[in-house]
Amino acid sequence: AQSVSQHNHHVILSEAASLELGCNYSYGGTVNLFWYVQYPGQHLQLLLKYFSGDPLVKGIKGFEAEFIKSKFSFNLRKPSVQWSDTAEYFCAVGISGTYKYIFGTGTRLKVLA
Amino acid sequence: EAQVTQNPRYLITVTGKKLTVTCSQNMNHEYMSWYRQDPGLGLRQIYYSMNVEVTDKGDVPEGYKVSRKEKRNFPLILESPSPNQTSLYFCASSPGLAGETQYFGPGTRLLVL
């Protein structure tokens, strides 16, 4: 069965630290990849997405993610986090040609001021 | 403003009392979906709809019903709620297939006593 794994469930960082959140998926076909963010008390919103082309994609607020097809991974990175990045981050996979989305279990990031 | 709205935002009910959570989008999107979010489990898809009168089960459909009589509306119905349906529910919409960005509603927090 298809699945999305986010290995870091809780991450605590100090401001200015670098961030990398892991995301791996299990599906052998073509996928579309997403990172969504949920700030405290708010609904999910898109951070960035990958459909095709350059495997390094840039999103809002200085976030980027790299698609490594051979590793079935789509890790999220930010060189220097801010207190306002405190949120829950969800990796999601859309199975191309279908209406199927699969979400990971989420990573709660807390950034200490 | 393009948005997905849900009502109610908070609901406390008792076991067995039928309830409906409404979802409406004003973006003329073909695809709509319901998710539940539970700690440690991330977002799990309940039902989705590809168009008017076309719906399909997601990963956790038991205990839920949906209907899509109009393109903009996709209500979630709990015929006989049980405590294990206590959760945070999100409605989402997107233009079409699973390569598209989903737009999420603000969420409905449900407590079943």
Side-chain angles (χ1 to χ4, degrees), chain A residues 36 43 49 51 98 100-101, chain B residues 37 59 98-102 105:
Chain A
Y36 287 88
H43 57 90
K49 60 184 179 183
F51 290 163
T98 76
K100 181 76 174 173
Y101 288 94
Chain B
Q37 182 182 9
D59 296 317
E100 304 281 355
T101 301
Q102 291 189 87

Side-chain angles (χ1 to χ4, degrees), chain A residues 41-56:
Chain A
Q42 297 187 27
H43 57 90
L44 281 85
Q45 53 190 287
L46 182 71
L47 203 53
L48 49 79
K49 60 184 179 183
Y50 170 81
F51 290 163
S52 64
D54 188 344
L56 183 63

Side-chain angles (χ1 to χ4, degrees), chain B:
Chain B
E1 180 191 354
Q3 60 182 348
V4 178
T5 57
Q6 293 178 230
N7 282 293
R9 296 288 312 280
Y10 303 92
L11 181 59
I12 301 174
T13 189
V14 295
T15 299
K17 186 176 181 182
K18 181 179 178 179
L19 66 92
T20 299
V21 183
T22 64
C23 173
S24 183
Q25 51 95 3
N26 63 1
M27 295 170 278
N28 201 37
H29 284 167
E30 303 281 339
Y31 176 94
M32 297 184 74
S33 182
W34 277 102
Y35 296 89
R36 59 178 289 174
Q37 182 182 9
D38 301 290
L41 298 176
L43 271 78
R44 294 179 292 168
Q45 193 174 46
I46 303 171
Y47 270 95
Y48 60 94
S49 169
M50 298 79 88
N51 212 326
V52 175
E53 303 290 5
V54 184
T55 63
D56 205 352
K57 296 178 181 178
D59 296 317
V60 289
E62 295 78 19
Y64 304 95
K65 283 177 59 177
V66 292
S67 68
R68 186 95 179 272
K69 292 184 169 54
E70 304 168 281
K71 196 172 187 178
R72 63 183 291 124
N73 296 323
F74 190 45
L76 179 70
I77 303 157
L78 284 71
E79 295 268 3
S80 183
S82 62
N84 64 12
Q85 293 178 297
T86 292
S87 188
L88 178 59
Y89 292 87
F90 287 101
C91 180
S93 73
S94 80
L97 294 172
E100 304 281 355
T101 301
Q102 291 189 87
Y103 296 84
F104 285 84
T108 295
R109 193 168 288 280
L110 172 64
L111 172 62
V112 183
L113 301 173

Side-chain angles (χ1 to χ4, degrees), chain A residues 62-111:
Chain A
F63 286 90
E64 64 179 32
E66 185 175 14
F67 172 47
I68 303 179
K69 191 174 182 179
S70 61
K71 295 185 177 180
F72 298 91
S73 70
F74 189 55
N75 293 353
L76 181 71
R77 300 194 292 250
K78 186 172 185 179
S80 176
V81 295
Q82 300 173 307
W83 177 82
S84 58
D85 293 325
T86 294
E88 189 160 16
Y89 293 82
F90 292 92
C91 181
V93 168
I95 307 297
S96 289
T98 76
Y99 295 94
K100 181 76 174 173
Y101 288 94
I102 308 157
F103 279 79
T105 54
T107 297
R108 283 187 185 272
L109 171 66
K110 185 175 178 63
V111 180

Side-chain angles (χ1 to χ4, degrees), chain A residues 8-46:
Chain A
N8 315 101
H9 298 297
H10 292 90
V11 174
I12 301 175
L13 295 172
S14 298
E15 272 195 315
S18 64
L19 170 72
E20 180 159 3
L21 301 182
C23 173
N24 288 87
Y25 65 94
S26 62
Y27 180 71
T30 304
V31 296
N32 303 295
L33 300 160
F34 305 83
W35 276 97
Y36 287 88
V37 60
Q38 185 179 30
Y39 297 105
Q42 297 187 27
H43 57 90
L44 281 85
Q45 53 190 287
L46 182 71

